[in-house]
Amino acid sequence: AKTEERNALRFYTPKMHADARRRLKLASELRQALTRNEFQLLYQPSVEMRTGRIVAVEALVRWRHPERGSVPPDEFIPIAESLGLIRQIDQWVMETACAQMVLWDQMRLPPLRMAVNVSAGTFAHPDFLPGISQALVQAGVPANRLLVELTESAILRLGEDTERAMQSLHKLGVGVAIDDFGTGYSSLAYLKLPAVAYLKIDRSFIAGLPSNGNDVAITEAMLAIARSLELHTIAEGIETEAQHEFLLRAGCQEAQGYLYSRPLPPDEIERLLAPRASQ
Ligand code: C2E
Ligand code: CA
Ligand code: CA
Ligand code: CA
């Protein structure tokens, strides 16, 4: 134990110290961020590959920190998860995204599907179902316009309760997309659940297209599984024309990525969807 302690001390660098302090500070500020209204949603379009038409958007949360500027979700979501704050954030996201759909409907934009990301801690909690139906009822949007994005690890975490939770979502009419598909270590059994209607192929496989043989094989296999189970496919992280061409030819239905659009604030989505009406 003595040597371990010495080692621990030796490896405790000033950089780690600063990181730990930053995390600690972020944690206490995160608790206040909700009440101070510091969160914001950006919306990334998802396009139908065959036509290039925008058919959906994914809500992506940002934290506008008073001093630090925009803090990326990859930095604060894990902290929110460990502090048990993620449920409140995800609930705020669902309510805000539903309210945004209503605003866009009122502006007569073409009706889009809205996807929200839901963390494992949120999905596993008994308040999740009541929370999501409250968001829908409060805004007055039909459940079939909303899509919940769950990672394989979120599904794994719920274990034997997964089937029941998925059934409740399905009864409510909310669809489920498997996010970051292919990066988890779970079985494929949950793909048969009726609530699961979409597969999102992770960016890490798209990045190697079309030159990396492994990524080509894996992507084609995932598309084949989706086809035979009649799941709708969405590829994420498309940055090049070559990736687009490959996926279109391989039969992927929908795609998201910087090639089409970055995540945008609501007014820029409006400009994209109603270019004439705004002039
Ligand atoms: P994700 O759900 O896999 O979202 C896709 C991420 O990839 C987003 O990062 C998006 O901005 C980025 N992206 C999109 N197209 C491209 C591309 O062509 N190239 C590259 N390099 N990146 C692209 P973002 O917005 O930073 O979000 C990161 C992660 O944070 C999300 O990954 C999701 O897991 C989580 N997250 C975001 N919003 C929420 C939320 O409201 N609730 C929860 N629980 N998690 C969220
Ligand atoms: Ca997602
Ligand atoms: Ca993803
Ligand atoms: Ca991801």
Side-chain angles (χ1 to χ4, degrees):
K2 259 268 153 59
T3 30
E4 269 169 34
E5 261 169 44
R6 259 210 308 275
N7 284 342
L9 271 175
R10 184 145 48 90
F11 288 118
Y12 197 70
T13 64
K15 162 107 174 46
M16 286 165 73
H17 189 63
D19 283 353
R21 287 217 352 219
R22 178 175 158 84
R23 263 201 308 278
L24 218 62
K25 185 138 185 298
L26 278 179
S28 78
E29 291 166 340
L30 203 47
R31 291 181 202 281
Q32 302 176 314
L34 266 169
T35 52
R36 292 185 180 168
N37 212 4
E38 289 171 2
F39 292 113
Q40 175 195 20
L41 289 185
L42 297 183
Y43 300 90
Q44 186 176 33
S46 190
V47 306
E48 188 177 56
M49 297 206 81
R50 223 168 27 80
T51 61
R53 205 164 52 96
I54 297 173
V55 289
V57 290
E58 174 179 6
L60 293 160
V61 73
R62 296 291 178 268
W63 178 13
R64 286 168 304 170
H65 191 283
E67 292 123 43
R68 286 176 231 264
S70 189
V71 184
D74 284 334
E75 186 165 2
F76 73 82
I77 296 279
I79 300 174
E81 281 170 344
S82 67
L83 292 173
L85 291 171
I86 192 62
R87 282 200 298 121
Q88 280 166 273
I89 297 174
D90 284 348
Q91 182 65 30
W92 178 87
V93 169
M94 289 190 288
E95 288 173 12
T96 307
C98 287
Q100 185 64 67
M101 267 195 277
V102 174
L103 284 177
W104 284 338
D105 286 351
Q106 286 167 352
M107 299 169 83
R108 305 197 182 269
L109 298 193
L112 302 175
R113 199 178 67 231
M114 172 72 75
V116 292
N117 293 283
V118 167
S119 278
T122 307
F123 181 55
H125 198 277
D127 284 349
F128 171 59
L129 251 297
I132 198 167
S133 34
Q134 191 209 310
L136 289 164
V137 169
Q138 192 173 287
V141 286
N144 63 14
R145 298 264 304 273
L146 192 66
L147 191 68
V148 164
E149 298 197 358
L150 294 169
T151 60
E152 291 162 271
S153 54
I155 290 165
L156 206 62
R157 164 123 158 239
L158 199 50
E160 56 192 20
D161 292 334
T162 298
E163 206 164 326
R164 211 169 27 80
M166 290 282 209
Q167 241 151 33
S168 314
L169 269 180
H170 190 54
K171 266 205 344 232
L172 192 64
V174 174
V176 169
I178 307 303
D179 205 353
D180 303 346
F181 184 62
T183 61
Y185 294 92
S186 55
S187 90
L188 297 175
Y190 62 83
L191 294 182
K192 295 188 299 186
L193 297 173
V196 176
Y198 295 81
L199 271 196
K200 294 192 77 170
I201 300 175
D202 191 65
R203 192 168 78 215
S204 56
F205 305 110
I206 305 302
L209 300 180
S211 55
N212 183 302
N214 291 332
D215 288 339
V216 166
I218 293 169
T219 301
E220 284 176 340
M222 291 194 284
L223 289 170
I225 290 173
R227 212 160 19 241
S228 55
L229 294 174
E230 293 179 23
L231 300 172
H232 189 90
T233 44
I234 307 172
E236 54 176 30
I238 285 74
E239 295 183 351
T240 68
E241 281 296 342
Q243 291 167 342
H244 172 94
E245 284 307 316
F246 176 89
L247 287 161
L248 180 64
R249 229 169 298 141
C252 182
Q253 287 148 314
E254 212 176 299
Q256 256 180 316
Y258 296 164
L259 178 67
Y260 319 103
S261 172
R262 295 199 171 243
L264 300 172
D267 59 321
E268 289 186 46
I269 294 286
E270 287 149 29
R271 235 172 300 157
L272 261 186
L273 287 173
R276 263 162 232 121
S278 66
Q279 276 166 15

